Amino acid sequence: MSEYLVEVRDLKKHFPVRGGVFSKVRAWVKAVDGVSFGICPGETLGLVGESGCGKTTTGRCILRLLEPTAGEVVFDGQDILQFDRRQMRRLRREMQIIFQDPYGSLNARMTVGDIIGEAYTVHGIAKGKERAEKVNELLEVVGLSPYHARRYPHEFSGGQRQRIGIARALALKPKLIICDEPVSALDVSIQSQILNLLEDLQEEFGLTYLFIAHNLSVVQHISDRVGVMYLGNLVELASKDVLYSAPKHPYTVALLSAIPVPDPDVRKTKILLEGDVPSPLNPPSGCTFHTRCPKATAHCKESRPEWREVTPGHFVACHLA
Amino acid sequence: MRKSLIMALASVMILALFLGACGPEAPAPSGNGGGADEPVKGGQIVFGMTGDPVIFNPILSTDVPSGNINSRVYSALVRANANMEPIGDLAESWTVSEDGLVWTFKLKDNVYWHDGTKFTSADVKYTYDAIRHPDYLGIRATDFKPITKVETPDDLTVELYLDAPYAPILSKLVIGIIPKHLFETTEIGKMKENPANMEPIGTGPYKFVTWEKGQYIMLEANENYFGEGPYIDQIIWKFYGDNQVMLAALEKGDIDYMGAIPPDDVARITEALSETHEIRPITQNGYTYIGLKQTDPIFKDKLVRQALMYGTNRKQIVDDVLMGHGEVVNANLPRLSWAYAGDELNPYEYNPEKAKELLDEAGWKLGADGIREKDGNKMDVKLLTSTGNKILEAALLITQQNWKDLGINVTVEYIEWAVLCEQYLDVAKFQSYALAWSLGIDPDFYLFFHSDAAVNEKGQLVGFNDVEFKNDRLDELLELGRTEMDKDTRKEIYVEAQKIVNEELPYVFLYANSSPAVMHKKVQGVTWGYAGPMFPELWWIKDGGN
Amino acid sequence: MLNYIGRRLIQMIPLLIGISILNFAIMHLAPGDPIDLLAERNATAEQKERIKELYGLNDPIHIQYLRWMQHVLKGDFGRSFVDGQPVMKSILERLPYTLYLNFLIMVVIYVVAIPVGIISALKQYSKFDHLMTSMAFLGQAVPSFWIGLILIYFFGLKLDWLPISGIGTIGLNVRTAGFWATVVDRAAHVIMPVTVVAFGSMTGVARYMRSSMLEVIRQDYVRTARAKGLPEKVVILKHAMRNALLPIVTLLGAELPLLFGGMVVIESIFSWPGIGLLSIRAIFQRDYLIVMAINMMGATLMVLGNFLADLLYVVVDPRIKYS
Ligand SMILES: Nc1ncnc2c1ncn2[C@@H]1O[C@H](COP(=O)(O)OP(=O)(O)O)[C@@H](O)[C@H]1O
Ligand code: SF4
Ligand SMILES: [Mg+2]
């Protein structure tokens, strides 16, 4: 177990839903409801699922940008959920995040140099001229120029901003970076540039990635292993090759069938999922997927399938697997 | 604010405002305890006022706060005593010629303006001529219309020439005399611009010290005052924008005097302050009424007007709205006047049955909808009044209900004062309206109900007779009352005149209020007269304020 | 930028002229006439004509307007019909008190409301936040004259902690009582009016600040700041608050005219010699020139305030540039 850089055990995050004049808590959204997985050093774990299934929440809980409701996050052998503020601040040097929205994630009133360099000052790593040099270096690493440091975020395009976001995340030389859909908001033409940059950086700095995406095609290329989430739960986790070639969970199968295939001769039956994703406010009983699962049985409605390792390294939560 | 504005504008009617001044004829002080004590100099008295004064010039000012200050800073030829009779002020004595056309006034000799200049007959002539000037911008020209010429044979003599004998003339001369030497530099049409209006120089018992706009006014004793007094060193009027706040200031002791305590607060204030303060009802020299257009198809019938008097529960208004601090009035002269007819008037006690009989008799029969009608016309009445007078509003609510019970449908419309004047009152176009009159000290009411003071051939209102009342005998009496010089005969004339008014009813007379005034007992030597506490130059502070 | 400022300033001129014409027209065409109020009630039509003549109210309205404009351009706002004093003098006598009160009110509002708004955003749904919500409701629902009277009754009369009204004790000033005694006296007088107005308007600013802050702390750049390992204080003060203050700062520009605005109710209750009572009296008496001067002052400040708000945007937000 200890070969993981970071391990998540039975992680839960429930958000309160409020209403009425005095904003009483009326219900709970089970955004993440018992997720377990680990990521090895230098590895890229892809995390896939439809929008709203809890990927971002999972990522933020790992960084403690959100306080998990329950579970453990073990980083380098320590349960970081027990860390106090000071310990947490030090830990920030080890784990970073790249946000989905390159517009909202940069403070509009700060120069690029300050955005990237602020962390140096805070952690007492460098200041003044030294800091500027480090910032310039980073800008070059992500494919920008030193003179960009004096500009404000609004002067850049989306792709350039995402590069700024990446430079910022790299600044403290972290071990783990959580990439929360880093290319979803970008033009297709730019997406691969950023993906390539991320791959290059991984190699150069020996980074570990948790790479979040909402479809399987984006992570196929970059990931070593891939996890699939549905309604706050992991439903399948396996090495990339296994998952793409021999998926065990009906949901994974359905997602895979939706990937456009480059070769038009290869025909695939596209499995259409019926109905909408149920609300995490009021998830279905039993297997939460049963309302849309083409293979569901009566049993599925009542009994929740266990998270089982069906073959070594291949985890599935389905009665039929 | 609005209330004070309405007061200010209603006082367009006030022919004289004089909360005192001084003269040897002033009756001996009969005031607060310790009458045996000798007056001492010193101390301070603080008044509360609800409006800022406008202008310290007695011939231009129209508002109550300005009048309060002017009456202390300026002196007039004559002033009124506690019983509304004229007594000398700057005038030592006066005589009237046999034919009643020439009045000769002998002036006091030792009178100086606050700046040290000697006061002479020229100042009197200047003041009166300014009022009679065609460019004069004040509201007292009518008062001086009977005067054709002012002559000053010497420095201490003034002669007024009249076009006809005019008994009320003395009551018009209560207006303050302004200093010629300061005002003659400005044209009459621009008199308002003269700086002496803001830093007044008079001959009165108190000298102007300062006016902080919206805050306070301070006067100090005039050591060279020609009469007895003044004793109190300093007078301050503090401005309060709200009556309730002024009451709090009174309770706290920030001010020593407040007039017109609102009816709702009288009981509480009496309970809280009767130990330390003198609390006296001040009967209004005036009354509140509903004017009825005499030519209106509904109101032209005397029976209808009398029905309204019987059918309006005026006693209830006095009891419930004024909380008993007032009285029902039945004609147009105040109880305070020496010509008051009193018991001889029909009291029109509330009698809705009689009112209904009168309406029936007048041919107004109850319709199916409960509204009376005659010749196919409904008894619909539109009653106008001005906004901002809570007490009048409450009184009209009762009136409206009373009249409805008689089968009259009344719509009350509240209209801003400026609009009410321009579009209804000044052009005498209305069916009925409710307002109040403040009165002068002479019983003459020619301008109110003489047919020549109504609407002329050109359709213009020339007096205050906007209801267009016409009664030949009353016309005759009002003319007689102006020329007759003998007081007893005049009283007979005005008693008969009041009886006619009481019988014929140009108005539905409602009430005169008598809100109490409160004065701290440390103030001694106060004469309580028709205008409240009078002759302030004779007041003094116990222990000189120490 | 200079270009832009110049252009904006020039654009104001026709706008203000338009406003002045409208103002003048509305006032003169509205029912009610100063002469009816100034003249004797039984003045004849001829007398009234004469009075109108003397006040210059006889000419056609456009001539009156042009004459007024001519004088205004020379800095002369004319004289009041009622007391004959120069209009500017009457306004300037009261303006300092209005400025003084409004300035303190604004300082109190912002000094109190901004932290309150921030705290209740950071502690959303806490007891403090709920209390704030209730106070906001109270502040809006309870009329200020009522609060004013209650305060006067308790603190002025019953407890005798504070003076009832006015701006200071008569005769007490630096010369007679020394500097500090004067400061204490003036402060004691201003506490209640400031409290009443600030209470009424503060809740608005606090709610505004709260929602602005709530919006900002949900932004990714605040998470970014946290992810950087900044201490929470820095995250809130530097990243979140500065951005949340943006709309508030520009609001300040727009509130410039409020600084000069009279408050009739408060001035009445606390006997404050401000511009509000002057203006309401002038309106009721149809004292045109005073009303015109006050309205034009207000309009000018409004236009300037909007312009200032736009300029402030540039200062505080690097994304905005005018050319
Ligand atoms: N702060 C929050 N308060 C309440 N509900 C939230 C909050 N953040 C996320 N959620 C809900 O939790 C669920 C998971 O959201 P998220 O983790 O953002 O999904 P994903 O990233 O997979 O699209 C969604 O239903 C979302 O509405
Ligand atoms: S447990 Fe049943 S419902 Fe759930 S995925 Fe498997 S088959 Fe479908
Ligand atoms: Mg997401």
Side-chain angles (χ1 to χ4, degrees), chain B residues 2 52 135 139 142 192 213 241 252 416 422 460 466, chain C residues 32 40-41 45 50 55 81 93 156 160 162 284 286:
Chain B
R2 278 199 191 178
D52 233 7
D135 288 351
I139 58 162
T142 310
K192 277 187 183 175
K213 301 276 170 69
K252 191 173 178 176
E416 193 205 329
E422 184 197 35
Q460 294 164 341
D466 49 15
Chain C
E40 279 185 273
R41 250 192 82 192
R50 179 90 190 120
Y55 284 116
F81 301 148
E93 275 166 353
D160 198 11
L162 293 170
F284 281 127
R286 303 293 188 269

PDB file of all heavy atoms in Angstrom, chain B residues 2 52 135 139 142 192 213 241 252 416 422 460 466, chain C residues 32 40-41 45 50 55 81 93 156 160 162 284 286:
ATOM      1  N   ARG B   2     -44.396  71.597   7.532  1.00  0.00           N
ATOM      2  CA  ARG B   2     -45.575  72.025   6.810  1.00  0.00           C
ATOM      3  C   ARG B   2     -46.513  72.792   7.709  1.00  0.00           C
ATOM      4  O   ARG B   2     -47.097  73.771   7.324  1.00  0.00           O
ATOM      5  CB  ARG B   2     -46.324  70.799   6.307  1.00  0.00           C
ATOM      6  CG  ARG B   2     -45.747  70.280   5.050  1.00  0.00           C
ATOM      7  CD  ARG B   2     -46.771  69.417   4.413  1.00  0.00           C
ATOM      8  NE  ARG B   2     -46.163  68.678   3.327  1.00  0.00           N
ATOM      9  CZ  ARG B   2     -46.802  67.808   2.605  1.00  0.00           C
ATOM     10  NH1 ARG B   2     -48.050  67.541   2.859  1.00  0.00           N
ATOM     11  NH2 ARG B   2     -46.200  67.188   1.641  1.00  0.00           N
ATOM     12  N   ASP B  52     -38.080  78.133  11.374  1.00  0.00           N
ATOM     13  CA  ASP B  52     -37.078  79.183  11.361  1.00  0.00           C
ATOM     14  C   ASP B  52     -37.791  80.484  10.995  1.00  0.00           C
ATOM     15  O   ASP B  52     -38.704  80.469  10.184  1.00  0.00           O
ATOM     16  CB  ASP B  52     -36.038  78.865  10.265  1.00  0.00           C
ATOM     17  CG  ASP B  52     -34.632  78.881  10.816  1.00  0.00           C
ATOM     18  OD1 ASP B  52     -34.482  79.007  12.046  1.00  0.00           O
ATOM     19  OD2 ASP B  52     -33.684  78.765  10.031  1.00  0.00           O
ATOM     20  N   ASP B 135     -44.832  99.815  -4.643  1.00  0.00           N
ATOM     21  CA  ASP B 135     -43.887  98.709  -4.804  1.00  0.00           C
ATOM     22  C   ASP B 135     -43.712  97.881  -3.535  1.00  0.00           C
ATOM     23  O   ASP B 135     -42.889  96.969  -3.496  1.00  0.00           O
ATOM     24  CB  ASP B 135     -42.502  99.253  -5.221  1.00  0.00           C
ATOM     25  CG  ASP B 135     -42.521  99.735  -6.662  1.00  0.00           C
ATOM     26  OD1 ASP B 135     -43.532  99.483  -7.346  1.00  0.00           O
ATOM     27  OD2 ASP B 135     -41.540 100.374  -7.073  1.00  0.00           O
ATOM     28  N   ILE B 139     -47.631  92.365   3.204  1.00  0.00           N
ATOM     29  CA  ILE B 139     -49.050  92.004   3.169  1.00  0.00           C
ATOM     30  C   ILE B 139     -49.897  92.959   4.002  1.00  0.00           C
ATOM     31  O   ILE B 139     -50.977  92.612   4.446  1.00  0.00           O
ATOM     32  CB  ILE B 139     -49.247  90.573   3.692  1.00  0.00           C
ATOM     33  CG1 ILE B 139     -48.701  90.449   5.111  1.00  0.00           C
ATOM     34  CG2 ILE B 139     -48.607  89.564   2.765  1.00  0.00           C
ATOM     35  CD1 ILE B 139     -49.230  89.252   5.854  1.00  0.00           C
ATOM     36  N   THR B 142     -53.408  96.708   2.734  1.00  0.00           N
ATOM     37  CA  THR B 142     -54.834  96.909   2.971  1.00  0.00           C
ATOM     38  C   THR B 142     -55.085  97.585   4.310  1.00  0.00           C
ATOM     39  O   THR B 142     -55.952  98.448   4.428  1.00  0.00           O
ATOM     40  CB  THR B 142     -55.564  95.560   2.929  1.00  0.00           C
ATOM     41  OG1 THR B 142     -55.182  94.884   1.745  1.00  0.00           O
ATOM     42  CG2 THR B 142     -57.054  95.757   2.933  1.00  0.00           C
ATOM     43  N   LYS B 192     -36.516  93.898   0.689  1.00  0.00           N
ATOM     44  CA  LYS B 192     -36.133  92.587   1.232  1.00  0.00           C
ATOM     45  C   LYS B 192     -34.628  92.368   1.193  1.00  0.00           C
ATOM     46  O   LYS B 192     -34.101  91.542   1.927  1.00  0.00           O
ATOM     47  CB  LYS B 192     -36.803  91.463   0.438  1.00  0.00           C
ATOM     48  CG  LYS B 192     -38.212  91.182   0.882  1.00  0.00           C
ATOM     49  CD  LYS B 192     -38.775  89.962   0.184  1.00  0.00           C
ATOM     50  CE  LYS B 192     -40.215  89.746   0.598  1.00  0.00           C
ATOM     51  NZ  LYS B 192     -40.851  88.662  -0.137  1.00  0.00           N
ATOM     52  N   LYS B 213     -28.734  80.133  11.327  1.00  0.00           N
ATOM     53  CA  LYS B 213     -29.868  79.578  10.579  1.00  0.00           C
ATOM     54  C   LYS B 213     -30.130  78.116  10.948  1.00  0.00           C
ATOM     55  O   LYS B 213     -29.212  77.311  10.980  1.00  0.00           O
ATOM     56  CB  LYS B 213     -29.599  79.652   9.082  1.00  0.00           C
ATOM     57  CG  LYS B 213     -29.366  81.046   8.554  1.00  0.00           C
ATOM     58  CD  LYS B 213     -30.676  81.766   8.241  1.00  0.00           C
ATOM     59  CE  LYS B 213     -30.465  83.241   7.952  1.00  0.00           C
ATOM     60  NZ  LYS B 213     -29.772  83.497   6.699  1.00  0.00           N
ATOM     61  N   GLY B 241     -37.354  71.002  14.706  1.00  0.00           N
ATOM     62  CA  GLY B 241     -38.094  70.666  13.499  1.00  0.00           C
ATOM     63  C   GLY B 241     -39.283  69.770  13.786  1.00  0.00           C
ATOM     64  O   GLY B 241     -40.083  69.486  12.915  1.00  0.00           O
ATOM     65  N   LYS B 252     -36.659  67.914  29.407  1.00  0.00           N
ATOM     66  CA  LYS B 252     -35.276  67.805  29.844  1.00  0.00           C
ATOM     67  C   LYS B 252     -34.775  69.110  30.456  1.00  0.00           C
ATOM     68  O   LYS B 252     -33.805  69.116  31.200  1.00  0.00           O
ATOM     69  CB  LYS B 252     -34.405  67.439  28.635  1.00  0.00           C
ATOM     70  CG  LYS B 252     -32.996  67.046  29.021  1.00  0.00           C
ATOM     71  CD  LYS B 252     -32.217  66.540  27.829  1.00  0.00           C
ATOM     72  CE  LYS B 252     -30.797  66.214  28.250  1.00  0.00           C
ATOM     73  NZ  LYS B 252     -30.016  65.640  27.168  1.00  0.00           N
ATOM     74  N   GLU B 416     -52.154  70.615  -1.521  1.00  0.00           N
ATOM     75  CA  GLU B 416     -51.008  71.393  -1.047  1.00  0.00           C
ATOM     76  C   GLU B 416     -51.360  72.876  -1.001  1.00  0.00           C
ATOM     77  O   GLU B 416     -52.043  73.387  -1.876  1.00  0.00           O
ATOM     78  CB  GLU B 416     -49.811  71.168  -1.988  1.00  0.00           C
ATOM     79  CG  GLU B 416     -48.505  71.665  -1.411  1.00  0.00           C
ATOM     80  CD  GLU B 416     -47.497  71.999  -2.502  1.00  0.00           C
ATOM     81  OE1 GLU B 416     -47.531  71.354  -3.559  1.00  0.00           O
ATOM     82  OE2 GLU B 416     -46.694  72.916  -2.271  1.00  0.00           O
ATOM     83  N   GLU B 422     -53.712  79.041  -5.171  1.00  0.00           N
ATOM     84  CA  GLU B 422     -53.726  79.491  -6.553  1.00  0.00           C
ATOM     85  C   GLU B 422     -55.008  79.086  -7.275  1.00  0.00           C
ATOM     86  O   GLU B 422     -55.606  79.883  -7.980  1.00  0.00           O
ATOM     87  CB  GLU B 422     -52.526  78.917  -7.312  1.00  0.00           C
ATOM     88  CG  GLU B 422     -52.452  79.443  -8.735  1.00  0.00           C
ATOM     89  CD  GLU B 422     -51.557  78.604  -9.623  1.00  0.00           C
ATOM     90  OE1 GLU B 422     -51.522  77.363  -9.428  1.00  0.00           O
ATOM     91  OE2 GLU B 422     -50.892  79.161 -10.505  1.00  0.00           O
ATOM     92  N   GLN B 460     -62.925  88.961  -9.790  1.00  0.00           N
ATOM     93  CA  GLN B 460     -61.775  88.863  -8.901  1.00  0.00           C
ATOM     94  C   GLN B 460     -62.186  88.985  -7.446  1.00  0.00           C
ATOM     95  O   GLN B 460     -63.033  89.799  -7.104  1.00  0.00           O
ATOM     96  CB  GLN B 460     -60.773  89.980  -9.226  1.00  0.00           C
ATOM     97  CG  GLN B 460     -60.160  89.830 -10.595  1.00  0.00           C
ATOM     98  CD  GLN B 460     -59.499  91.117 -11.056  1.00  0.00           C
ATOM     99  OE1 GLN B 460     -59.790  92.196 -10.538  1.00  0.00           O
ATOM    100  NE2 GLN B 460     -58.622  90.999 -12.039  1.00  0.00           N
ATOM    101  N   ASP B 466     -64.627  85.030   0.381  1.00  0.00           N
ATOM    102  CA  ASP B 466     -64.564  84.112  -0.758  1.00  0.00           C
ATOM    103  C   ASP B 466     -65.802  83.233  -0.855  1.00  0.00           C
ATOM    104  O   ASP B 466     -66.064  82.651  -1.890  1.00  0.00           O
ATOM    105  CB  ASP B 466     -63.269  83.283  -0.719  1.00  0.00           C
ATOM    106  CG  ASP B 466     -63.027  82.670   0.638  1.00  0.00           C
ATOM    107  OD1 ASP B 466     -63.974  82.640   1.459  1.00  0.00           O
ATOM    108  OD2 ASP B 466     -61.899  82.211   0.894  1.00  0.00           O
TER     109      ASP B 466
ATOM    110  N   GLY C  32     -49.558  76.237  -8.532  1.00  0.00           N
ATOM    111  CA  GLY C  32     -49.049  76.981  -7.383  1.00  0.00           C
ATOM    112  C   GLY C  32     -48.129  78.068  -7.880  1.00  0.00           C
ATOM    113  O   GLY C  32     -47.403  77.871  -8.841  1.00  0.00           O
ATOM    114  N   GLU C  40     -50.766  89.706  -0.352  1.00  0.00           N
ATOM    115  CA  GLU C  40     -51.900  89.655   0.562  1.00  0.00           C
ATOM    116  C   GLU C  40     -52.974  88.803  -0.063  1.00  0.00           C
ATOM    117  O   GLU C  40     -53.117  88.781  -1.286  1.00  0.00           O
ATOM    118  CB  GLU C  40     -52.470  91.067   0.727  1.00  0.00           C
ATOM    119  CG  GLU C  40     -51.724  91.923   1.698  1.00  0.00           C
ATOM    120  CD  GLU C  40     -52.441  93.257   1.867  1.00  0.00           C
ATOM    121  OE1 GLU C  40     -52.170  94.160   1.068  1.00  0.00           O
ATOM    122  OE2 GLU C  40     -53.262  93.366   2.781  1.00  0.00           O
ATOM    123  N   ARG C  41     -53.758  88.147   0.772  1.00  0.00           N
ATOM    124  CA  ARG C  41     -54.759  87.284   0.150  1.00  0.00           C
ATOM    125  C   ARG C  41     -55.820  88.094  -0.565  1.00  0.00           C
ATOM    126  O   ARG C  41     -56.459  87.613  -1.483  1.00  0.00           O
ATOM    127  CB  ARG C  41     -55.390  86.352   1.179  1.00  0.00           C
ATOM    128  CG  ARG C  41     -54.942  84.920   0.934  1.00  0.00           C
ATOM    129  CD  ARG C  41     -55.745  83.951   1.724  1.00  0.00           C
ATOM    130  NE  ARG C  41     -57.004  83.646   1.090  1.00  0.00           N
ATOM    131  CZ  ARG C  41     -57.967  83.004   1.699  1.00  0.00           C
ATOM    132  NH1 ARG C  41     -57.805  82.598   2.934  1.00  0.00           N
ATOM    133  NH2 ARG C  41     -59.081  82.730   1.073  1.00  0.00           N
ATOM    134  N   ALA C  45     -55.758  91.978  -8.707  1.00  0.00           N
ATOM    135  CA  ALA C  45     -54.988  91.441  -9.830  1.00  0.00           C
ATOM    136  C   ALA C  45     -53.896  92.418 -10.230  1.00  0.00           C
ATOM    137  O   ALA C  45     -52.787  92.021 -10.575  1.00  0.00           O
ATOM    138  CB  ALA C  45     -55.911  91.166 -11.001  1.00  0.00           C
ATOM    139  N   ARG C  50     -48.093  93.861 -10.407  1.00  0.00           N
ATOM    140  CA  ARG C  50     -47.012  94.752 -10.002  1.00  0.00           C
ATOM    141  C   ARG C  50     -45.940  93.942  -9.242  1.00  0.00           C
ATOM    142  O   ARG C  50     -44.741  94.099  -9.465  1.00  0.00           O
ATOM    143  CB  ARG C  50     -47.615  95.842  -9.106  1.00  0.00           C
ATOM    144  CG  ARG C  50     -46.638  96.828  -8.568  1.00  0.00           C
ATOM    145  CD  ARG C  50     -46.478  98.018  -9.516  1.00  0.00           C
ATOM    146  NE  ARG C  50     -45.358  98.832  -9.100  1.00  0.00           N
ATOM    147  CZ  ARG C  50     -44.299  99.076  -9.860  1.00  0.00           C
ATOM    148  NH1 ARG C  50     -44.259  98.617 -11.079  1.00  0.00           N
ATOM    149  NH2 ARG C  50     -43.313  99.815  -9.411  1.00  0.00           N
ATOM    150  N   TYR C  55     -40.629  91.038  -9.072  1.00  0.00           N
ATOM    151  CA  TYR C  55     -39.864  89.803  -8.918  1.00  0.00           C
ATOM    152  C   TYR C  55     -39.371  89.262 -10.251  1.00  0.00           C
ATOM    153  O   TYR C  55     -38.764  88.205 -10.312  1.00  0.00           O
ATOM    154  CB  TYR C  55     -40.693  88.731  -8.217  1.00  0.00           C
ATOM    155  CG  TYR C  55     -40.825  88.937  -6.724  1.00  0.00           C
ATOM    156  CD1 TYR C  55     -42.056  89.189  -6.151  1.00  0.00           C
ATOM    157  CD2 TYR C  55     -39.704  88.849  -5.888  1.00  0.00           C
ATOM    158  CE1 TYR C  55     -42.194  89.371  -4.778  1.00  0.00           C
ATOM    159  CE2 TYR C  55     -39.834  89.031  -4.528  1.00  0.00           C
ATOM    160  CZ  TYR C  55     -41.080  89.292  -3.982  1.00  0.00           C
ATOM    161  OH  TYR C  55     -41.192  89.462  -2.637  1.00  0.00           O
ATOM    162  N   PHE C  81     -37.295  84.803  -3.198  1.00  0.00           N
ATOM    163  CA  PHE C  81     -38.467  85.676  -3.200  1.00  0.00           C
ATOM    164  C   PHE C  81     -38.923  85.948  -1.779  1.00  0.00           C
ATOM    165  O   PHE C  81     -39.524  86.952  -1.488  1.00  0.00           O
ATOM    166  CB  PHE C  81     -39.656  85.009  -3.913  1.00  0.00           C
ATOM    167  CG  PHE C  81     -39.380  84.635  -5.333  1.00  0.00           C
ATOM    168  CD1 PHE C  81     -39.981  83.516  -5.887  1.00  0.00           C
ATOM    169  CD2 PHE C  81     -38.546  85.403  -6.117  1.00  0.00           C
ATOM    170  CE1 PHE C  81     -39.746  83.177  -7.203  1.00  0.00           C
ATOM    171  CE2 PHE C  81     -38.304  85.066  -7.439  1.00  0.00           C
ATOM    172  CZ  PHE C  81     -38.901  83.943  -7.976  1.00  0.00           C
ATOM    173  N   GLU C  93     -24.838  78.697   3.898  1.00  0.00           N
ATOM    174  CA  GLU C  93     -24.994  78.706   5.354  1.00  0.00           C
ATOM    175  C   GLU C  93     -25.278  77.307   5.887  1.00  0.00           C
ATOM    176  O   GLU C  93     -24.961  76.990   7.026  1.00  0.00           O
ATOM    177  CB  GLU C  93     -26.164  79.613   5.747  1.00  0.00           C
ATOM    178  CG  GLU C  93     -25.802  81.071   5.866  1.00  0.00           C
ATOM    179  CD  GLU C  93     -27.049  81.963   5.914  1.00  0.00           C
ATOM    180  OE1 GLU C  93     -28.178  81.450   5.726  1.00  0.00           O
ATOM    181  OE2 GLU C  93     -26.874  83.149   6.131  1.00  0.00           O
ATOM    182  N   GLY C 156     -31.590  60.723  25.084  1.00  0.00           N
ATOM    183  CA  GLY C 156     -31.595  62.161  25.304  1.00  0.00           C
ATOM    184  C   GLY C 156     -32.321  62.530  26.585  1.00  0.00           C
ATOM    185  O   GLY C 156     -31.847  63.335  27.374  1.00  0.00           O
ATOM    186  N   ASP C 160     -30.399  60.581  29.712  1.00  0.00           N
ATOM    187  CA  ASP C 160     -29.668  61.846  29.732  1.00  0.00           C
ATOM    188  C   ASP C 160     -28.190  61.663  29.399  1.00  0.00           C
ATOM    189  O   ASP C 160     -27.325  62.278  30.001  1.00  0.00           O
ATOM    190  CB  ASP C 160     -29.832  62.523  31.104  1.00  0.00           C
ATOM    191  CG  ASP C 160     -29.468  64.004  31.020  1.00  0.00           C
ATOM    192  OD1 ASP C 160     -29.305  64.499  29.890  1.00  0.00           O
ATOM    193  OD2 ASP C 160     -29.345  64.640  32.074  1.00  0.00           O
ATOM    194  N   LEU C 162     -27.082  61.856  26.102  1.00  0.00           N
ATOM    195  CA  LEU C 162     -26.756  62.630  24.901  1.00  0.00           C
ATOM    196  C   LEU C 162     -27.687  63.830  24.791  1.00  0.00           C
ATOM    197  O   LEU C 162     -28.807  63.787  25.289  1.00  0.00           O
ATOM    198  CB  LEU C 162     -26.938  61.744  23.652  1.00  0.00           C
ATOM    199  CG  LEU C 162     -25.968  60.580  23.498  1.00  0.00           C
ATOM    200  CD1 LEU C 162     -26.421  59.667  22.378  1.00  0.00           C
ATOM    201  CD2 LEU C 162     -24.564  61.107  23.235  1.00  0.00           C
ATOM    202  N   PHE C 284     -42.298  74.227  -1.010  1.00  0.00           N
ATOM    203  CA  PHE C 284     -43.672  74.560  -0.616  1.00  0.00           C
ATOM    204  C   PHE C 284     -44.002  76.022  -0.874  1.00  0.00           C
ATOM    205  O   PHE C 284     -45.143  76.374  -1.124  1.00  0.00           O
ATOM    206  CB  PHE C 284     -43.907  74.227   0.852  1.00  0.00           C
ATOM    207  CG  PHE C 284     -44.143  72.765   1.068  1.00  0.00           C
ATOM    208  CD1 PHE C 284     -43.396  72.052   1.981  1.00  0.00           C
ATOM    209  CD2 PHE C 284     -45.113  72.097   0.336  1.00  0.00           C
ATOM    210  CE1 PHE C 284     -43.602  70.698   2.159  1.00  0.00           C
ATOM    211  CE2 PHE C 284     -45.329  70.746   0.511  1.00  0.00           C
ATOM    212  CZ  PHE C 284     -44.571  70.053   1.422  1.00  0.00           C
ATOM    213  N   ARG C 286     -42.716  77.722  -3.299  1.00  0.00           N
ATOM    214  CA  ARG C 286     -42.445  77.995  -4.715  1.00  0.00           C
ATOM    215  C   ARG C 286     -41.345  79.053  -4.844  1.00  0.00           C
ATOM    216  O   ARG C 286     -41.441  79.963  -5.654  1.00  0.00           O
ATOM    217  CB  ARG C 286     -43.707  78.463  -5.438  1.00  0.00           C
ATOM    218  CG  ARG C 286     -44.881  77.496  -5.363  1.00  0.00           C
ATOM    219  CD  ARG C 286     -44.599  76.206  -6.136  1.00  0.00           C
ATOM    220  NE  ARG C 286     -45.782  75.367  -6.232  1.00  0.00           N
ATOM    221  CZ  ARG C 286     -46.102  74.424  -5.342  1.00  0.00           C
ATOM    222  NH1 ARG C 286     -45.308  74.176  -4.310  1.00  0.00           N
ATOM    223  NH2 ARG C 286     -47.180  73.700  -5.497  1.00  0.00           N
TER     224      ARG C 286
END
